[in-house]
Amino acid sequence: MKVIEISRSFGIENLRLVTRHEPEVLSPQHVLVQMKAASLNYRDYLVITGKYNPKFKLPLIPLSDGAGEIIAVGNDVQGFSVGDRVISTFAEDWQEGEGKNEEIRNALGGPKDGTLCEKKVFHSKSLVKIPDYLSYEEAATLPCAALTAWNSFKEFGNLSTGQTVLIQGTGGVSLFGLQIGKALGARIIATSSSEEKLQKLKDLGAIDTINYKEFPEWGKIVKEKTGGIGVDHVLEVGGLGTLEQSIKATRPFGQISLIGVLSGNDKPVNLLPVIMNNIKLQGILVGSKMSLVRLCSSFENWKIKPVIDRVFNIDEAIKAIEYLKSGNHFGKIVIKI
């Protein structure tokens, strides 16, 4: 079978399309999946370039998100059959609630081989059935990006109708945050540096938008747009480079979900306003399998369609990663297998 692997050393230039022996179902509780699609997350770029954990063993098949069809099942597998359409979970041992350190860290795409391959063996406990209305390409975007936004707003944030949410940029997590927040009845304010993207955000349902290059002190603008109160919840994807503005934009007793470091991780930030305003800073690392099950159930009801920017073929993996790095995408980048 064909796989994409990080070969002898880290770096986008070291991705190789190679042939490996086809896997077999090795355990009564495992299944064999014909992979149909995989989607990219910023974590994948960090893993491939060695910035996430340079101690990961190589060669390594990258990517955490994947969707496919079950083509063989072990004798003791329950709940799945040949022909079922399924998606992977980020960390297969993390089933529900507060995962242990070893459960959270043992993730696909590093340190475990990921989803950028034609066939893959999964433990049946790690898979979730795809909502019927989604294609393989659409479903492949759910396990990390959608689940991160879901946990931020639903399982950790208790977002409710009438509250206001701030999302940053137009990556996968941010757009899922817009769609999920809207489905939960929240009002969405969004930021971007592109006027074209800001218009697309409005088309998706944002009630207001801010060009953060035109208004570097956008936290103050957000406050003004909320009548001087601030937003109830911020989906913070930038890290320390944007956190100070997020703090300024958040109301007392509001929540900031820290899910990324796109703008860097080395800028000093004044945390005194967090204390003075009782703001909750909540780190979010994807989520458990059962959280993904609940997300899929809600998506089935809401019929949310993931926003996909481009679909690449498996032999265009390097182009796909470089496109992710460019930051020009609006929504998810998918690789068809």
Side-chain angles (χ1 to χ4, degrees):
M1 67 169 183
K2 293 180 181 178
V3 310
I4 297 290
E5 66 178 27
I6 311 166
S7 56
R8 297 178 181 179
S9 59
F10 291 101
I12 298 176
E13 69 280 4
N14 293 315
L15 288 174
R16 297 286 184 270
L17 177 63
V18 302
T19 300
R20 291 191 185 183
H21 292 295
E22 291 196 2
E24 299 178 354
V25 177
L26 303 177
S27 162
Q29 295 182 337
H30 284 71
V31 303
L32 179 61
V33 175
Q34 180 82 50
M35 301 303 296
K36 301 290 188 178
S39 75
L40 298 179
N41 298 289
Y42 190 68
R43 177 185 187 270
D44 300 318
Y45 166 72
L46 295 177
V47 168
I48 290 168
T49 55
K51 297 176 182 178
Y52 190 86
N53 187 342
K55 295 182 180 179
F56 281 161
K57 292 182 179 180
L58 301 181
L60 173 69
I61 300 174
L63 275 60
S64 301
D65 289 4
E69 177 185 348
I70 294 178
I71 57 176
V73 298
N75 294 331
D76 294 342
V77 170
Q78 297 181 354
F80 293 103
S81 304
V82 171
D84 283 345
R85 303 188 319 136
V86 293
I87 49 177
S88 58
T89 52
F90 174 70
E92 69 174 13
D93 296 324
W94 184 11
Q95 293 290 293
E96 176 68 296
E98 296 182 1
K100 298 178 182 177
N101 184 65
E102 60 269 22
E103 294 173 338
I104 296 173
R105 303 295 174 227
N106 193 27
L108 293 180
K112 301 178 69 173
D113 274 337
T115 56
L116 201 48
C117 53
E118 290 185 320
K119 295 179 182 179
K120 185 170 179 60
V121 172
F122 292 93
H123 196 291
S124 58
K125 71 179 181 180
S126 72
L127 298 176
V128 175
K129 290 183 180 179
I130 295 173
D132 290 338
Y133 75 100
L134 293 177
S135 68
Y136 284 115
E137 289 82 8
E138 291 167 336
T141 69
L142 301 185
C144 283
L147 186 55
T148 297
W150 168 268
N151 273 329
S152 298
F153 290 162
K154 184 65 176 178
E155 306 215 358
F156 286 95
N158 297 314
L159 189 66
S160 59
T161 300
Q163 291 189 322
T164 305
V165 166
L166 173 67
I167 67 163
Q168 301 171 351
T170 57
V173 176
S174 296
L175 293 192
F176 275 123
L178 189 159
Q179 292 174 301
I180 292 171
K182 185 179 176 183
L184 291 171
R187 302 164 68 250
I188 313 297
I189 299 175
T191 68
S192 175
S193 61
S194 163
E195 290 299 325
E196 180 183 357
K197 289 182 177 181
L198 289 172
Q199 183 56 54
K200 290 181 179 180
L201 289 165
K202 288 181 179 178
D203 293 342
L204 283 174
I207 63 165
D208 219 330
T209 58
I210 301 169
N211 188 319
Y212 63 79
K213 281 195 174 179
E214 184 178 352
F215 299 101
E217 293 290 321
W218 48 264
K220 180 180 178 181
I221 305 298
V222 173
K223 245 338 181 12
E224 292 174 355
K225 290 180 179 294
T226 55
I229 299 172
V231 297
D232 299 280
H233 203 128
V234 178
L235 200 56
E236 172 57 68
V237 303
L240 294 181
T242 51
L243 181 57
E244 187 170 350
Q245 293 303 313
S246 292
I247 293 170
K248 291 179 180 179
T250 305
R251 68 165 175 84
F253 295 91
Q255 177 170 318
I256 300 173
S257 289
L258 301 169
I259 65 101
V261 291
L262 296 179
S263 64
N265 200 33
D266 56 0
K267 180 181 178 181
V269 174
N270 178 17
L271 294 178
L272 183 59
V274 174
I275 299 170
M276 300 303 293
N277 290 300
N278 291 279
I279 294 172
K280 180 180 180 181
L281 295 179
Q282 174 67 58
I284 303 287
L285 179 66
V286 194
S288 69
K289 174 194 171 173
M290 292 311 299
S291 292
L292 184 58
V293 169
R294 290 187 284 273
L295 176 150
C296 287
S297 177
S298 290
F299 269 42
E300 189 75 72
N301 292 329
W302 294 332
K303 296 297 187 289
I304 286 177
K305 279 283 190 175
V307 180
I308 295 176
D309 184 292
R310 287 183 63 181
V311 177
F312 293 82
N313 293 320
I314 189 170
D315 57 357
E316 299 176 304
I318 290 179
K319 289 183 180 179
I321 296 294
E322 289 176 339
Y323 186 50
L324 175 72
K325 178 185 176 183
S326 75
N328 293 325
H329 54 290
F330 185 89
K332 294 294 290 181
I333 300 168
V334 175
I335 295 178
K336 188 174 182 178
I337 303 173

